[in-house]
Amino acid sequence: MELELTRVDYATVGLTGPNCLQLLPPIGGAAATGSGGYKQQQKVAIGDQDGVLQVFSMKKDELQMHFKTLPGERIASVKLGGQVGSVADKMFTASENKVRGFNKKGKLFLAFETSLTETIRSMCVSGPDLLVCGNHVYNHYRDCKELGSYLCGDVIVDVAALCPHNTSRLITVLACSGRVLRVLEHSRVRQTIELDSVPTVLHVPKGLGDRMLCGFADGSVLLFHLNLQVAEVKREVLVSDQLNRDERDKEGLSAVTCIATYDLSGDGKEELIVGRRDGTLQVFTMNSDEYQFEMECTQIYRELFNESISSVQAGCVGANGYTEIVVCTYSGRVFGLTTQCIGKCLSDAGSFSGGAPVAQPIDSSAKLQRIRAEIYELEQTIAKERERYQLSTQAMSSGLSAIPMLPVNDSFVLSKSDATYLLSLEIPTPIEHVLLQCDTPINLLDVEKNSAVVSFSECDKLSGNSLLASYRCQMNTNRIDLKIRTIEGQTGTLQVYITPNLQPKCCQLKRYPIKPLSLHVILHNVTDEMLARPMNVLTLKGPFSQAEVHNWMVNSIPELPEKRHETGKVRFTFQHVFIGTLLVCEYGKGDATFRSDNISTISILKDFITKEATKKRIKLEISSTINESTIPSLIKLIEPKIVHYNKLTKDFQLAQALLDLDIRDEAEFGTLSEEYRTLIRTHQAIEAEFRKQPTILNRIYGILTDLYIDKFKFKGVNVKTKLPQLIELLDNYTYDQLVHFYTLDRASDEDNKD
């Protein structure tokens, strides 16, 4: 089944963020019979970053503004609330550290200043309970009286409240950037749910007091069943990168920015609506047995809108009896995707509108004339403003040429699937060009979604530049995705200069740190089997505090929280996303121990911490133990990649040579061996995989050559002259020969000593 939706544009507001859009229930709150969805027209409430809250509705295809507040502090969240058991028709907005409440007529009935010292980032309203979160602080209020608070080490991304059936309990769920969900009751952590990716948004479907949906940075959506009677939390993957990838998803799914559930088809079952950072909107059916947890999702609608979607809601806005999805984008465009057939309404003589009889015929010519008049008015206003600006910039004028503010909606996220960083940049106006400068070696990869032309400049190593690249964007491009491959052990800063198509010319500078262990992520589910691997050990002792060594770790590895609020020794386990090696870190005041089955990881960490300690004149006692048995286990770990990509490279080269033979008839084709015939038949798939990762074999070789160099580096031996021999062994890979080469003791070669 495919869902047919038609776009209808409603309004344009200021820049928006997550949770900025809500649909007010209709008067009386009557729901459609048997479907649970509203069939009466609803009002739209939206808050923007200019601090304006506005409520509008549609009447005879015309926008009716009900109220609009004056500009003020940025609105971070808009939520609906009301008394328990009544219709939630009150609007609550969060700005700075204040929460304001408005009724449906726009009257301010609540102006509450919370005790948060941070700016409110997310908010949840449940009856008399108000939950607000900053970056690290969570506060719980009931009837504007504080009941409790919680200090979180990770950054809090979103908050949701669960009310289990037949109970008065309130369970709070915090989505945290450390790849965990924290379940709180009475402001105390009852449970920590470890995740495989960074959560981005939470959503609690209506009527499900113990189930919750969560969207992630890797594009997946999971359903969690929180049974508070047992410790186990059931989870099910509804949308994943692998299960829902198609021809349009060659780059994988973009991060989830918003989630909603609604019965769009009127069959009594709610559909899942997912909005993404790259502007993709998807609708899935959720087919499940009422008494079973297993749920099957099928995509029934998908569309790309070219700018990130900040909020989605579903209801009835444009016309009575027609459900629709209301979408708000980052730049402030508000539009609906309605089940009503608009094309038929305009073309029909008037007896029917989308299959339903109407009382009056629709005069499409009058509507077009009204639109043309509005466009003419806007053109005249723009011409007058342009003339006034030109006069103000003349030499004898007292006017000033002001550079406009340029907010940037950006993200710099590590993708575990291909061990690359995805840099997303979006601004409200069209981008003219983007300049990249980096002082450490990185590689830029092609992104098929981009419509920009890239050019590279030669870099002088003495100037400190390792990369200079420029992306020139096509007309009306206001967002761009860049894929970057880093090299572990190389640290620096990526600087991005974003130039909009504006006058006077200006640009916005954004900086992104490239950390020395940039391809490591926190690993939660550590098994005893994993920790039983042979390990190399690095031990540090000295007059440093726990905060000092934690700061070193934050600057060397991604995903670590900036501050730790616990006392005593802490322990973290990290995993290399490309080859799967581990790093176990245990540190406290004056003592730190690092264990890894990769010698290169220990070497990188040792060099970085020594450099940082030297800057602050901290004297360290460093001892390291290199375990020779870690080398065979690492080679065995990476062996499948070596074999696969070695074969892929050779197959690609051989297939290209066979295609150059230009075989045109079956007789010539039959003279080839079965292996060659298979290569010709599958050459498109081989080429597609090879083009996707053209340098991945060089990346594997780089890891193994670094391992070889770092092993003898701890012995004070330079083995760079032996690297050609190592490359030859890798080209003709056999496990035993490669292990034998690594385990030869070359410390006795005087010619190789430093």
Side-chain angles (χ1 to χ4, degrees):
M1 182 186 75
E2 290 292 330
L3 187 65
E4 294 185 5
L5 300 175
T6 306
R7 175 170 173 167
V8 182
D9 289 283
Y10 291 138
T12 302
V13 298
L15 301 182
T16 61
N19 300 313
C20 65
L21 175 71
Q22 295 292 337
L23 298 187
L24 295 171
I27 297 175
T33 305
S35 67
Y38 293 119
K39 293 297 183 180
Q40 298 178 13
Q41 284 184 270
Q42 298 174 253
K43 297 177 183 178
V44 180
I46 184 167
D48 56 37
Q49 295 185 15
D50 295 330
V52 177
L53 173 68
Q54 50 189 300
V55 175
F56 66 85
S57 64
M58 300 301 295
K59 185 177 182 182
K60 295 181 180 179
D61 296 329
E62 290 188 8
L63 187 142
Q64 305 288 322
M65 186 64 67
H66 294 277
F67 76 87
K68 185 176 182 179
T69 64
L70 294 173
E73 300 159 337
R74 169 186 174 182
I75 295 177
S77 181
V78 178
K79 294 291 183 181
L80 298 182
Q83 295 181 357
V84 178
S86 65
V87 178
D89 58 354
K90 305 292 191 300
M91 292 161 284
F92 296 88
T93 65
S95 302
E96 296 292 334
N97 67 335
K98 303 179 184 66
V99 176
R100 295 180 176 88
F102 298 86
N103 64 15
K104 57 187 177 182
K105 295 183 178 180
K107 181 179 178 182
L108 179 69
F109 67 86
L110 175 67
F112 174 56
E113 185 171 352
T114 68
S115 58
L116 259 71
T117 56
E118 300 177 331
T119 299
I120 295 176
R121 182 169 176 172
S122 53
M123 174 179 69
C124 182
V125 179
S126 178
D129 294 285
L130 171 66
L131 315 175
V132 292
C133 298
N135 282 328
H136 298 280
V137 180
Y138 156 81
N139 274 13
H140 180 193
Y141 300 92
R142 179 169 294 167
D143 293 325
C144 296
K145 295 180 180 178
E146 185 172 348
L147 291 185
S149 63
Y150 171 71
L151 184 61
C152 182
D154 301 328
V155 174
I156 301 173
V157 178
D158 201 2
V159 59
L162 295 173
C163 299
H165 296 299
N166 303 322
T167 66
S168 59
R169 300 168 66 182
L170 181 72
I171 307 299
T172 303
V173 180
L174 302 180
C176 303
S177 62
R179 293 199 283 119
V180 293
L181 297 179
R182 290 185 168 88
V183 182
L184 279 68
E185 189 173 15
H186 305 301
S187 301
R188 294 187 178 181
V189 178
R190 284 197 48 172
Q191 203 168 5
T192 300
I193 305 172
E194 297 168 345
L195 308 170
D196 295 328
S197 182
V198 178
T200 54
V201 63
L202 298 175
H203 174 73
V204 179
K206 293 180 181 178
L208 297 179
D210 56 356
R211 298 187 185 183
M212 179 188 64
L213 294 166
C214 182
F216 293 90
D218 65 357
S220 59
V221 178
L222 268 67
L223 174 66
F224 292 90
H225 185 185
L226 303 174
N227 188 346
L228 301 176
Q229 305 300 324
V230 296
E232 182 184 0
V233 176
K234 294 182 180 179
R235 67 181 79 186
E236 182 176 359
V237 178
L238 302 185
V239 182
S240 72
D241 188 19
Q242 300 300 323
L243 294 177
N244 293 279
R245 179 175 292 191
D246 57 22
E247 287 300 319
R248 294 167 291 184
D249 282 330
K250 292 179 181 178
E251 301 294 340
L253 294 176
S254 180
V256 177
T257 53
C258 48
I259 296 175
T261 52
Y262 197 81
D263 181 14
L264 294 169
S265 56
D267 60 357
K269 295 181 180 180
E270 290 191 334
E271 281 79 30
L272 171 65
I273 306 165
V274 180
R276 302 187 180 277
R277 179 178 288 277
D278 66 352
T280 301
L281 183 76
Q282 294 173 288
V283 181
F284 300 88
T285 59
M286 295 190 294
N287 304 317
S288 66
D289 192 320
E290 184 180 356
Y291 301 102
Q292 297 294 328
F293 186 71
E294 289 75 14
M295 188 173 290
E296 180 183 351
C297 279
T298 305
Q299 179 175 287
I300 58 174
Y301 178 81
R302 176 195 174 98
E303 194 59 58
L304 180 64
F305 295 105
N306 295 324
E307 58 177 313
S308 62
I309 298 172
S310 54
S311 286
V312 292
Q313 291 290 319
C316 179
V317 175
N320 283 328
Y322 293 98
T323 57
E324 65 182 272
I325 302 170
V326 183
V327 182
C328 180
T329 65
Y330 166 71
S331 64
R333 289 185 175 88
V334 184
F335 58 89
L337 300 172
T338 177
T339 54
Q340 183 183 18
C341 185
I342 302 297
K344 188 173 182 180
C345 291
L346 291 176
S347 61
D348 206 341
S351 59
F352 290 92
S353 175
V358 293
Q360 298 293 333
I362 296 175
D363 189 358
S364 58
S365 61
K367 184 176 181 180
L368 291 174
Q369 288 178 3
R370 186 171 64 251
I371 293 173
R372 289 193 185 102
E374 291 178 3
I375 293 173
Y376 177 76
E377 257 181 62
L378 290 172
E379 288 175 344
Q380 294 299 313
T381 303
I382 291 171
K384 288 179 182 178
E385 289 295 323
R386 184 180 290 114
E387 183 180 354
R388 187 176 66 83
Y389 176 76
Q390 293 295 336
L391 291 173
S392 68
T393 56
Q394 291 178 2
M396 300 301 293
S397 173
S398 59
L400 297 175
S401 178
I403 296 177
M405 292 293 293
L406 184 65
V408 180
N409 181 24
D410 64 329
S411 69
F412 190 60
V413 181
L414 175 62
S415 171
K416 294 196 295 183
S417 60
D418 55 2
T420 60
Y421 278 87
L422 182 64
L423 174 61
S424 297
L425 302 169
E426 183 176 16
I427 60 175
T429 59
I431 301 173
E432 185 171 334
H433 60 261
V434 177
L435 175 66
L436 279 73
Q437 182 271 334
C438 190
D439 55 359
T440 189
I442 60 173
N443 297 320
L444 295 180
L445 305 179
D446 291 334
V447 177
E448 293 187 6
K449 298 176 184 177
N450 282 346
S451 57
V453 179
V454 60
S455 59
F456 294 89
S457 302
E458 291 187 9
C459 298
D460 182 6
K461 293 183 179 180
L462 297 178
S463 66
N465 292 325
S466 294
L467 172 73
L468 287 174
S470 176
Y471 284 85
R472 185 167 294 276
C473 302
Q474 293 183 359
M475 292 289 291
N476 301 322
T477 300
N478 66 342
R479 74 180 311 276
I480 185 172
D481 293 326
L482 308 176
K483 188 170 280 191
I484 296 165
R485 178 178 292 155
T486 61
I487 302 172
E488 283 217 328
Q490 305 287 344
T491 180
T493 303
L494 172 64
Q495 297 192 120
V496 182
Y497 299 83
I498 308 155
T499 304
N501 191 6
L502 292 176
Q503 295 293 339
K505 288 298 180 185
C506 61
C507 76
Q508 177 75 41
L509 172 61
K510 302 292 289 186
R511 291 187 175 93
Y512 305 95
I514 307 295
K515 299 183 179 181
L517 294 176
S518 56
L519 299 181
H520 279 74
V521 296
I522 291 179
L523 184 65
H524 293 300
N525 302 317
V526 186
T527 62
D528 294 336
E529 182 182 355
M530 297 172 73
L531 294 178
R533 298 178 185 177
M535 294 283 188
N536 307 286
V537 183
L538 175 68
T539 304
L540 305 177
K541 296 183 181 296
F544 51 80
S545 63
Q546 184 187 29
E548 189 71 49
V549 69
H550 183 73
N551 185 56
W552 294 339
M553 298 304 297
V554 168
N555 292 329
S556 60
I557 307 180
E559 291 195 355
L560 265 180
E562 294 181 3
K563 295 181 180 179
R564 298 298 303 174
H565 304 290
E566 299 88 348
T567 57
K569 269 197 171 184
V570 295
R571 176 174 174 171
F572 294 102
T573 303
F574 301 90
Q575 186 174 36
H576 195 294
V577 295
F578 185 63
I579 59 176
T581 56
L582 299 180
L583 171 63
V584 182
C585 307
E586 295 181 75
Y587 53 86
K589 183 179 179 181
D591 185 21
T593 303
F594 306 99
R595 295 182 293 130
S596 176
D597 53 340
N598 188 350
I599 297 174
S600 295
T601 302
I602 293 294
S603 176
I604 292 168
L605 206 54
K606 177 185 175 183
D607 292 344
F608 179 77
I609 292 179
T610 302
K611 183 179 177 181
E612 292 297 308
T614 304
K615 286 180 182 178
K616 295 196 173 184
R617 298 182 179 180
I618 298 176
K619 187 177 180 181
L620 296 178
E621 295 180 18
I622 304 175
S623 62
S624 54
T625 304
I626 303 303
N627 190 340
E628 295 281 348
S629 60
T630 58
I631 294 175
S633 64
L634 189 149
I635 294 174
K636 202 68 179 177
L637 198 63
I638 205 173
E639 184 180 37
K641 284 185 170 62
I642 302 174
V643 174
H644 175 73
Y645 288 105
N646 251 329
K647 184 177 184 301
L648 177 66
T649 303
K650 292 175 181 177
D651 286 350
F652 172 75
Q653 293 170 349
L654 191 55
Q656 294 301 310
L658 290 170
L659 291 174
D660 290 341
L661 294 176
D662 196 19
I663 299 174
R664 299 186 179 184
D665 54 47
E666 286 294 331
E668 291 182 355
F669 186 73
T671 60
L672 298 176
S673 66
E674 181 60 32
E675 179 187 357
Y676 289 173
R677 291 199 295 267
T678 303
L679 286 176
I680 292 177
R681 292 191 193 102
T682 60
H683 77 275
Q684 290 183 342
I686 293 171
E687 183 176 359
E689 185 179 0
F690 183 81
R691 298 293 184 197
K692 187 177 179 182
Q693 296 283 0
T695 60
I696 198 164
L697 196 59
N698 293 336
R699 194 179 192 185
I700 296 170
Y701 285 10
I703 292 171
L704 291 173
T705 52
D706 287 344
L707 175 68
Y708 186 66
I709 292 170
D710 290 332
K711 175 197 171 181
F712 290 99
K713 180 180 174 183
F714 279 97
K715 299 180 179 181
V717 179
N718 186 346
V719 291
K720 290 184 178 179
T721 56
K722 300 292 183 181
L723 295 185
Q725 187 178 349
L726 174 60
I727 298 299
E728 185 179 350
L729 283 173
L730 291 171
D731 288 335
N732 304 282
Y733 172 78
T734 58
Y735 175 77
D736 293 334
Q737 288 184 2
L738 190 61
V739 170
H740 178 70
F741 182 81
Y742 272 90
T743 53
L744 285 176
D745 186 9
R746 302 180 186 275
S748 59
D749 290 347
E750 296 295 333
D751 295 336
N752 292 330
K753 286 190 177 181
D754 289 330

